[in-house]
Amino acid sequence: MTDPAQMPVVGMAGGGQLARMTQQAAIGLGVSLRVLAGSADDSAARVCADVRVGDDSSLDDLRAFAKGCDVVTFDHEHVPEAHIRDLEASGVPCRPGPDALRHAQDKLVMRRRLGEIGAPVPAYSHVPPSAPPAFLESFAREHGWPLVLKAVRGGYDGKGVWVLEGLGREEADLVGRLTGQGVDLLVEEHVAFRRELAALVARSPHGQGAAYPVVETVQEDGICVEVIAPAPGLDGDLAAEAQRLALDIADRLGVAGLLAVELFETDRGLLVNELAMRPHNSGHWTIEGARTSQFEQHLRAVLDLPLGSTEPTAPYTVMANVLGGDDPALYPRYLHVMAHDPGVKVHFYGKGVRPGRKIGHVTALGSDPDEVRERARHAADYLRWGPAMGPAARDETKEDAS
Amino acid sequence: MTDPAQMPVVGMAGGGQLARMTQQAAIGLGVSLRVLAGSADDSAARVCADVRVGDDSSLDDLRAFAKGCDVVTFDHEHVPEAHIRDLEASGVPCRPGPDALRHAQDKLVMRRRLGEIGAPVPAYSHVPPSAPPAFLESFAREHGWPLVLKAVRGGYDGKGVWVLEGLGREEADLVGRLTGQGVDLLVEEHVAFRRELAALVARSPHGQGAAYPVVETVQEDGICVEVIAPAPGLDGDLAAEAQRLALDIADRLGVAGLLAVELFETDRGLLVNELAMRPHNSGHWTIEGARTSQFEQHLRAVLDLPLGSTEPTAPYTVMANVLGGDDPALYPRYLHVMAHDPGVKVHFYGKGVRPGRKIGHVTALGSDPDEVRERARHAADYLRWGPAMGPAARDETKEDAS
């Protein structure tokens, strides 16, 4: 199939929902999106015309996939750095490049580098594998309990992060198990934050930057469940500082593409929690809530096209993640959600429904943040639980029936 | 590939840009879109995972395509009515159904039916194949020259429509050639309109209706080049009348899906020009300019889901079609267009670039309709002509250089 208009081919390693939503943006721009998916059933593989099934930790699969791509990008952080360097050496630009991406792959590299460039970070330390319990005790004497233990590599969505209230038997067993498995660990102070924020920016290879409004992210069990854009009541100076910080990090790290900076808002100011260099859950609201969606913006950035307007389309936009419930049939619930609120937008990722799994998201827009949150929340809860609206409600129903 | 969440499969006959943009909406909803495309190179075939290559005027191809679809819909009007009836008899719902769709397939059926239900239409008559020139002379004596001659079936984008200034030799030859080819003809008065409008509505099988703001459409050589939403300065009563008229036609004709009613605004009020029962060029602005795009709305309607909000996202949205110029390479021009205006949205259909062919569209939004038009116009012109900005400008440049 030849492209009649000589449009570029963007390869995206990973076939999850981020690649899926990138395909919507690619269709608009007329850019061809090729995904490297682990299976033909993957979220993005179900909706793309150019799907390569393979293992994105295999160099052979990556090489075959990248052949003919004008640029390669990623929908996750797990492609090995050495493989990315190999692709670049073979002449395929990877964006973000390996020198930038390692800061999203390795939390210790990230913490050290942020420290070097003067970005505010929580107190942290590498945990020496020789004597972890003694080290943690000593770190706690300085910073207090609880502590946050993190795997240096490979964590996401709360996986690879443990909050230790003390060093009892259970905690000592955990630490012993992890070090026994060779998991490299980082310890951080447990930040007493007011709330969590995220600053999403894009940077193009030629150096243009663009910042979205700073959002509030609401987490449950380490999973982002809700994003409010902009963060309600956020001080204007603090919002500008967060945007400047994210643009500065993107610039200093040489990011090409999106950079999401997860932040803690604390009494002593902002602290950087995590970095991601790809479309990010905290930016899904931009599909409806901003003139340029984060997915289009990522494509524009990795293609070194001028960046699009980040102007909001409504005073407030709220995104709520839809988690799987017990019933695999999501679609019949569309009827209620759409009839209840014609303005709510439903996004389903084409994934199998399993309890607690992120399977989609909903977006609502309006002028009153509380009202918009309630609308998004209702839709997400209904899609998860159906008419019973949650285990609590269902337990009540059972009691009523008894 | 089994669908883990039991989402419906929508089949769309036709693989053009309307199916392509419907795929963007289907990805969001998690609905599977299957397209029947004439070739694997078709606009929609390039971006869909489930593509059947075949001839949508062949009953065998249609049957094979429809097998396993929960509902079949169309991105054009040219699937034969008898075939649609056959699919419905085999148990696959077609939306719009054949009884409604014939009003978009046959201009004489449409004119007669609109007359019956009291919708305002231009004076028209079927042209008897026996003595067309005499008939046209007689029609002109009543309604004046020029006349508009239309093929009863198969026209689109100005094809199948001829404006006759009189009945000289050239015109007589044309009429003779058409009747000789067995083309069934309709004659209409040439309406002295102030401007052209379009009223886009959706109707679902269970009878819900939703109307978008009434737009102004600007045509050149029978091709829509620009759409301004809402129609600037349109009297509120007239706008409401246009919406009511479109909703009423959708209801009386039993439309399931979208209905675009092309209207003339005249000194004697509104007159219906054409009907289309699918996503329509006059509704492309809704992708960015309305809370629910026409493509999502069409999917919701044909699936009998509750309809989405048609609320605009900006005071004014302007869509300008991008026509092909002499240079097939469109992409390098993205750089200028995007740098010049970060708020303009570019849509490219993945089609080969040929002079005058609709290959994409651009959208701009804002508060001042003139300014928004200028921005959309500039982007569309630049994408067509490049730095020379049109044949006139290029001629000037040549003169300057000489």
Side-chain angles (χ1 to χ4, degrees), chain B residues 76-79 102 104-108 150-162 183-184 274 278:
Chain B
H76 59 73
E77 283 90 16
H78 308 311
V79 176
R102 57 203 299 266
Q105 295 180 312
D106 185 308
K107 293 186 203 299
L108 197 58
K150 293 182 172 178
V152 167
R153 296 180 149 264
Y156 68 99
D157 266 2
K159 292 179 181 67
V161 177
W162 302 269
V183 178
D184 203 16
E274 304 284 355
R278 49 168 171 77

Side-chain angles (χ1 to χ4, degrees), chain B residues 72 74 77 79-89 92-106 109 153 253-256 277:
Chain B
V72 162
F74 312 94
E77 283 90 16
V79 176
E81 185 183 325
H83 293 359
I84 300 174
R85 293 194 188 280
D86 183 280
L87 294 184
E88 289 231 299
V92 182
C94 294
R95 292 173 181 164
D99 291 335
L101 192 61
R102 57 203 299 266
H103 300 91
Q105 295 180 312
D106 185 308
V109 168
R153 296 180 149 264
L253 269 45
V255 174
M277 293 181 196

Side-chain angles (χ1 to χ4, degrees), chain B residues 89-282:
Chain B
S90 77
V92 182
C94 294
R95 292 173 181 164
D99 291 335
L101 192 61
R102 57 203 299 266
H103 300 91
Q105 295 180 312
D106 185 308
K107 293 186 203 299
L108 197 58
V109 168
M110 181 265 283
R111 281 281 176 258
R112 285 177 179 151
R113 180 83 176 120
L114 290 184
E116 282 166 21
I117 68 178
V121 294
Y124 75 96
S125 181
H126 187 211
V127 179
S130 50
F135 186 85
L136 294 176
E137 292 279 14
S138 134
F139 189 89
R141 269 194 297 278
E142 192 173 350
H143 301 286
W145 295 99
L147 295 180
V148 183
L149 197 65
K150 293 182 172 178
V152 167
R153 296 180 149 264
Y156 68 99
D157 266 2
K159 292 179 181 67
V161 177
W162 302 269
V163 176
L164 307 190
E165 300 289 340
L167 207 59
R169 182 163 173 173
E170 201 180 324
E171 290 84 357
D173 283 354
L174 171 71
V175 174
R177 202 164 56 244
L178 290 168
T179 48
Q181 289 164 355
V183 178
D184 203 16
L185 294 170
L186 187 72
V187 62
E188 293 187 353
E189 64 171 319
H190 187 266
V191 174
F193 55 80
R194 293 180 197 150
R195 57 177 169 176
E196 294 186 70
L197 304 173
L200 182 67
V201 297
R203 184 178 176 276
S204 59
H206 78 279
Q208 190 192 0
Y212 285 96
V214 176
V215 302
E216 176 175 346
T217 64
V218 181
Q219 327 277 329
E220 279 173 18
D221 302 326
I223 296 182
C224 168
V225 292
E226 208 176 311
V227 172
I228 309 148
L234 182 63
D235 175 78
D237 289 343
L238 208 59
E241 185 189 325
Q243 290 182 314
R244 269 198 307 270
L245 179 62
L247 287 167
D248 188 49
I249 294 172
D251 193 49
R252 300 288 202 99
L253 269 45
V255 174
L258 290 174
L259 172 72
V261 181
E262 297 182 40
L263 296 158
F264 295 126
E265 184 187 356
T266 77
D267 292 342
R268 52 184 163 132
L270 299 172
L271 294 176
V272 176
N273 183 18
E274 304 284 355
L275 301 184
M277 293 181 196
R278 49 168 171 77
H280 190 251
N281 200 168
S282 69

Side-chain angles (χ1 to χ4, degrees), chain A residues 1-8 20-21 23-32 40-41 45-50 288-289 291-293 296 300 303-309 313-314 328-332 334-336 338-353 365, chain B residues 1-8 20-21 23-32 40-41 45-50 288-289 291-293 296 300 303-309 313-314 328-332 334-336 338-353 365:
Chain A
M1 190 158 72
T2 57
D3 184 336
Q6 304 159 40
M7 302 299 276
R20 181 185 176 100
M21 291 184 272
Q23 164 71 345
Q24 291 178 287
I27 291 173
L29 292 176
V31 163
S32 295
D41 278 344
R46 292 176 171 276
V47 300
C48 288
D50 189 1
E288 292 90 7
R291 288 289 170 223
T292 306
S293 82
E296 179 181 337
R300 289 167 78 143
L303 286 164
D304 211 7
L305 286 169
L307 301 176
S309 165
T313 68
L330 187 71
Y331 182 74
Y334 276 27
L335 199 78
H336 167 88
M338 293 179 178
H340 184 262
D341 188 342
V344 82
K345 309 315 288 181
V346 174
H347 297 257
F348 178 59
Y349 303 152
K351 292 161 79 168
V353 175
L365 307 95
Chain B
M1 190 158 72
T2 57
D3 185 336
Q6 304 159 40
M7 303 298 278
R20 181 186 176 99
M21 291 185 273
Q23 163 71 345
Q24 291 179 287
I27 292 173
L29 292 176
V31 163
S32 295
D41 278 344
R46 292 176 171 276
V47 300
C48 289
D50 189 1
E288 291 90 6
R291 289 289 171 223
T292 306
S293 82
E296 179 181 337
R300 289 166 77 144
L303 286 164
D304 210 7
L305 287 169
L307 301 176
S309 165
T313 68
L330 186 71
Y331 181 74
Y334 277 27
L335 200 78
H336 168 87
M338 292 179 179
H340 184 262
D341 188 342
V344 81
K345 310 315 288 182
V346 174
H347 297 256
F348 178 58
Y349 304 152
K351 293 160 79 168
V353 176
L365 307 94

Side-chain angles (χ1 to χ4, degrees), chain A residues 32-117:
Chain A
S32 295
L33 186 72
R34 174 184 299 173
V35 298
L36 178 57
S39 132
D41 278 344
D42 278 6
S43 178
R46 292 176 171 276
V47 300
C48 288
D50 189 1
V51 178
R52 309 294 159 105
V53 173
D55 176 356
D56 59 22
S57 64
S58 146
L59 183 55
D60 285 345
D61 287 0
L62 280 166
R63 280 179 177 157
F65 157 74
K67 202 177 166 184
C69 288
D70 293 283
V71 57
V72 162
T73 187
F74 312 95
D75 98 332
H76 59 73
E77 284 90 16
H78 308 311
V79 176
E81 186 183 324
H83 293 0
I84 300 174
R85 292 195 188 280
D86 183 280
L87 294 184
E88 289 231 300
S90 78
V92 182
C94 294
R95 291 174 182 163
D99 292 333
L101 193 60
R102 56 203 301 264
H103 300 91
Q105 295 180 312
D106 184 308
K107 293 187 203 297
L108 197 57
V109 168
M110 181 266 283
R111 281 280 176 259
R112 285 178 180 153
R113 181 84 176 119
L114 290 184
E116 281 166 21
I117 67 178

